[in-house]
Amino acid sequence: MRNKKFAAFFNRKSYIVAVVIMVVAAFGMTGLYYAQQEREQEAQLAKERERQVQQAREEDAARAQAAQEKAKAQAAAEAKARIQAQEKEKEEAEEVSGIIEPQEDNFMDEPEVVAETSSPVEPVIHFDAETDLSWPLQGNVILNYNMDQTVYFATLDQYKYNPAVVIQAAVNTPVNAVASGKVVSVETNEETGTTLTVDMGDGYSARYGQLKEVPKNQGDYVESGEVVGYVNEPTKYYSVEGANLYFQLLKDGEPVNPMAYLE
């Protein structure tokens, strides 16, 4: 009888141990499952952040390409307009020039009258890379040029390359031309607002963004130090940074560090 009781006790004990082991195993499997789910969620979040950063870079590249294409189209339209104006001027000159026909039978031959036409002489623009540029305005550089590594943009809350310098300035601050040149475009985009681009010669051009009340048009000439506009309210891309001048220096269409040229 005692042996049967012991056997029954041990059977119950083995059953309890088995149940405990099963419960512990179940909790362990549940913990592993949730840990795996958490790792998968973290991986998905990391992929989503990477996708958003890549999308932002692609959007920036698309906007830059669209701006370049628009500038090229404007330059081509301007060139076509100049050619048409020259052809029209030439046709009018040909109509005016020639021999004046006599009004009466006994009218003596008159000398040939030739219309004199003269085209305006455009100033020669030349940029000396050895001569430092003058600053477009006085202010602190809050975002420096950097195409080697990314720069943090507070408004966008992301890091990206910066092909220009962003100079802090109050609204209505006058912006001066850093060098003489010819206006090749005055355009507006959502990132830098009203933007003026000036060809300074020898492959160099300057781009001024975040402007208002620009007194120049495409084809006009500007002198060094001449006012080319005034600082405007910042666009939505720079709302945290505040009012500023976006200044970019380009050589053969590629951005270069303005700080290497500014006095």
Side-chain angles (χ1 to χ4, degrees), residues 101-219:
E101 298 181 357
Q103 301 299 318
E104 298 178 1
D105 294 339
N106 59 352
F107 194 85
M108 297 180 62
D109 292 338
E110 291 287 341
E112 182 178 357
V113 178
V114 179
E116 295 182 357
T117 60
S118 60
S119 57
V121 178
E122 295 187 357
V124 177
I125 54 177
H126 170 65
F127 179 80
D128 186 359
E130 299 298 327
T131 303
D132 293 335
L133 298 178
S134 59
W135 280 78
L137 52 75
Q138 295 299 317
N140 295 324
V141 176
I142 55 177
L143 287 174
N144 214 332
Y145 170 95
N146 202 324
M147 294 299 287
D148 296 325
Q149 59 185 7
T150 56
V151 177
Y152 180 70
F153 284 70
T155 302
L156 302 177
D157 190 23
Q158 65 177 246
Y159 288 84
K160 65 175 189 172
Y161 296 104
N162 187 22
V165 291
V166 177
I167 307 173
Q168 189 177 43
V171 175
N172 296 324
T173 300
V175 178
N176 304 314
V178 297
S180 300
K182 181 179 181 181
V183 177
V184 295
S185 68
V186 181
E187 57 187 4
T188 302
N189 62 68
E190 61 179 8
E191 182 175 359
T192 59
T194 300
T195 304
L196 173 78
T197 303
V198 177
D199 178 11
M200 300 184 296
D202 299 286
Y204 286 89
S205 58
R207 186 167 292 159
Y208 310 80
Q210 306 271 18
L211 297 180
K212 68 175 181 177
E213 300 177 18
V214 177
K216 298 293 182 178
N217 296 313
Q218 185 177 3

Side-chain angles (χ1 to χ4, degrees), residues 214-256:
V214 177
K216 298 293 182 178
N217 296 313
Q218 185 177 3
D220 292 343
Y221 286 87
V222 297
E223 296 294 332
S224 178
E226 185 178 358
V227 174
V228 295
Y230 299 85
V231 175
N232 200 357
E233 296 287 348
T235 65
K236 63 181 181 180
Y237 285 76
Y238 295 93
S239 58
V240 174
E241 288 82 359
N244 66 82
L245 170 69
Y246 177 94
F247 179 70
Q248 186 178 34
L249 185 65
L250 301 104
K251 174 67 170 69
D252 297 328
E254 297 296 328
V256 294

Side-chain angles (χ1 to χ4, degrees), residues 64-102:
Q65 183 178 0
Q68 291 178 356
E69 290 177 354
K70 184 177 180 180
K72 290 180 180 178
Q74 289 180 343
E78 176 68 15
K80 183 178 180 181
R82 285 199 300 270
I83 292 174
Q84 291 176 346
Q86 291 173 356
E87 291 178 350
K88 183 177 181 181
E89 185 178 356
K90 183 178 179 181
E91 291 176 357
E92 292 176 352
E94 290 176 350
E95 291 177 358
V96 173
S97 63
I99 300 174
I100 299 178
E101 298 181 357

